[in-house]
Amino acid sequence: MTVTPQSHQHPVYVIGGGPGGLAVAAALRARGVRAVVLEKSDAVGQSWRHHYDRLRLHTTRRLSSLPGLTMPRSFGRWPARADVVRYLERYAEFHDLEIVTGVEVTRIEREHEGTGAGADHGGDGAGSGPGGWVLHATGGRRLVGSAVVVATGYNHTPRLPDWPGLDAYTGAHGRELVHAGTYRNPKPYAGRDVLVVGAGNTGAEIAADLADGGAARVRLAVRTPPYICRRSTLGWPTQRSGILVRRLPVALVDRLTGLLGRFLTADLSAYGLPRPEGGLYSRVLQGAVPVQDVGLVAAVRAGTVEPVPAVASFDGPDVVLADGTRLTPDAVIAATGYRRALEPLVGHLGVLDERGRPAVRGARCAREAPGLYFTGFTNPISGMFREMAIDAERIARRVARRVPAAKLP
């Protein structure tokens, strides 16, 4: 039974109103813990509102629901972007979550004993004991919480490689270069020559979308050839395979996928896209998640998407590829990933690894930062929504047990 939160307790602050943050807040509320979600935009699920129109979850509806509310069957097996947004809105309403929009947290610090007086506690009016957290936010806010969950998202800040000549290319030659985060649909590119840079799931899907949507020519610049898997095989979703093998030894999974490679993954080597090197699961642990095929294989085989070598630099109006080839596309769409951008928020706490990602995630806390949790900062083959749902329950259990200041009487 859900316990109605009371306002006199120190809240747990959840930073980010995406699926990870909402899931944690709902799981905490179900345990009688007051959780306040701080979202810098004006609505929940903001990143999903800005993804490209064609996007669907690569994980099944049944395995993508968050705690306490299943996705409706009307979404189909692979929920669309717009359906995910509607689900997140409904999720926040269904669980009656306490969400404050328009507030961006810029820094998190440990609260030391005796520093709680005079702090803004989000309206609860209570003093703070030792061991809490102080959040510095927009408008000069200074919020004190008994615990903090950071759920600002895996795809936070668009990243562009430091290509030689990039500044001059975009500034003086009238060529269009945008990050994939701004791409919505192929209409603006109809009849144009487009180079998509990056062969991850986003780049692969945008390239196929452009080819289907009337672009005159579509080339896909590939630095590291990816494993390309069917989204499902004979009705069996690849996600379920990812769940089954996730706890197995890496070498064993690499060997199994190698033996079954022709059946599980596409071979486009005859079309200019070499077979990937290294084991599939080893690559996953290095951050290279297999591409779920939603049209790229057919487009490459049909010649409507042409694989080309990686971009090496820009020279005047030209894009120079790794093999020395020069291209002059009308537009370049860089599907080159995102940064977590956690350094200003928590970089001073010693909780990030050398790549700027949380060193400890889920229900575990870094020794230096008890009561500080991170969720949604991995891209597992078992499904991000599924793992965030699991994280949410585990974090909520840990907080309810270990943070008495947040627990309701």
Side-chain angles (χ1 to χ4, degrees):
M1 181 177 71
T2 299
V3 180
T4 302
Q6 300 175 14
S7 62
H8 69 274
Q9 296 292 327
H10 263 309
V12 174
Y13 282 109
V14 180
I15 306 174
L22 297 180
V24 171
L28 286 167
R29 180 177 174 82
R31 289 166 174 78
V33 177
R34 183 186 175 203
V36 178
V37 178
L38 303 175
E39 168 55 45
K40 69 178 182 179
S41 69
D42 60 358
V44 300
Q46 190 65 14
S47 64
W48 278 90
R49 297 175 189 274
H50 291 282
H51 286 316
Y52 46 94
D53 297 343
R54 174 186 172 126
L55 179 64
R56 289 182 175 271
L57 282 179
H58 293 160
T59 54
T60 66
R61 171 183 55 82
R62 289 187 176 183
L63 296 174
S64 300
S65 294
L66 302 178
L69 183 68
T70 57
M71 288 189 177
R73 294 186 64 182
S74 60
F75 285 5
R77 194 179 197 191
W78 314 102
R81 178 198 63 83
D83 289 333
V84 172
V85 172
R86 284 193 286 269
Y87 172 71
L88 296 178
E89 291 173 338
R90 173 60 179 148
Y91 191 84
E93 179 184 359
F94 179 82
H95 289 291
D96 194 22
L97 300 182
E98 189 174 350
I99 300 170
V100 182
T101 59
V103 175
E104 181 177 6
V105 179
T106 55
R107 186 176 173 90
I108 302 172
E109 296 177 343
R110 289 294 304 273
E111 186 199 28
H112 300 292
E113 187 172 3
T115 63
D120 179 354
H121 307 292
D124 59 24
S128 176
W133 292 92
V134 176
L135 286 68
H136 299 274
T138 51
R141 294 177 177 85
R142 187 171 180 271
L143 310 171
V144 178
S146 53
V148 176
V149 182
V150 180
T152 50
Y154 188 82
N155 296 335
H156 187 275
T157 301
R159 183 185 68 85
L160 284 176
D162 188 19
W163 286 307
L166 177 61
D167 291 341
Y169 178 83
T170 57
H173 299 286
R175 301 291 181 181
E176 178 183 349
L177 188 149
V178 298
H179 189 273
T182 68
Y183 177 85
R184 297 293 171 266
N185 58 64
K187 291 181 181 178
Y189 302 96
R192 302 176 70 189
D193 181 346
V194 187
L195 174 66
V196 180
V197 184
N201 275 294
T202 297
E205 190 157 352
I206 288 177
D209 196 30
L210 289 165
D212 291 344
R217 186 173 189 179
V218 182
R219 284 171 284 203
L220 178 63
V222 182
R223 182 181 56 141
T224 305
Y227 281 95
I228 304 175
C229 302
R230 299 179 180 90
R231 193 161 57 178
S232 65
T233 302
L234 301 177
W236 177 265
T238 298
Q239 180 189 7
R240 288 197 178 275
S241 297
I243 294 170
L244 291 176
V245 306
R246 193 167 180 221
R247 304 300 180 188
L248 295 178
V250 175
L252 175 60
V253 179
D254 283 348
R255 181 168 176 77
L256 288 173
T257 53
L259 292 172
L260 298 173
R262 291 187 177 182
F263 183 68
L264 297 176
T265 63
D267 183 357
L268 297 176
S269 54
Y271 301 89
L273 185 59
R275 293 282 292 176
E277 297 180 357
L280 186 151
Y281 200 23
S282 294
R283 293 273 301 274
V284 168
L285 297 181
Q286 295 167 4
V289 175
V291 169
Q292 300 284 311
D293 179 36
V294 290
L296 178 67
V297 172
V300 170
R301 288 174 174 165
T304 55
V305 172
E306 308 166 51
V308 297
V311 171
S313 64
F314 292 82
D315 183 12
D318 296 341
V319 181
V320 184
L321 304 182
D323 65 352
T325 301
R326 289 175 175 263
L327 309 178
T328 55
D330 300 317
V332 177
I333 300 175
T336 47
Y338 295 80
R339 296 185 296 108
R340 312 294 89 79
L342 291 169
E343 289 82 0
L345 190 67
V346 297
H348 56 287
L349 297 174
V351 296
L352 303 180
D353 64 17
E354 64 280 359
R355 294 189 294 174
R357 301 182 182 187
V360 178
R361 300 177 294 271
R364 297 171 56 217
C365 298
R367 182 174 298 179
E368 303 86 351
L372 178 63
Y373 302 87
F374 296 87
T375 184
F377 291 96
T378 60
N379 191 14
I381 57 175
S382 50
M384 185 178 285
F385 270 58
R386 177 181 181 273
E387 295 302 322
M388 287 191 292
I390 294 171
D391 269 358
E393 296 286 6
R394 290 174 176 171
I395 291 171
R397 285 197 297 268
R398 182 67 60 87
V399 170
R401 184 170 68 247
R402 296 194 174 189
V403 186
K407 187 75 179 291
L408 296 178

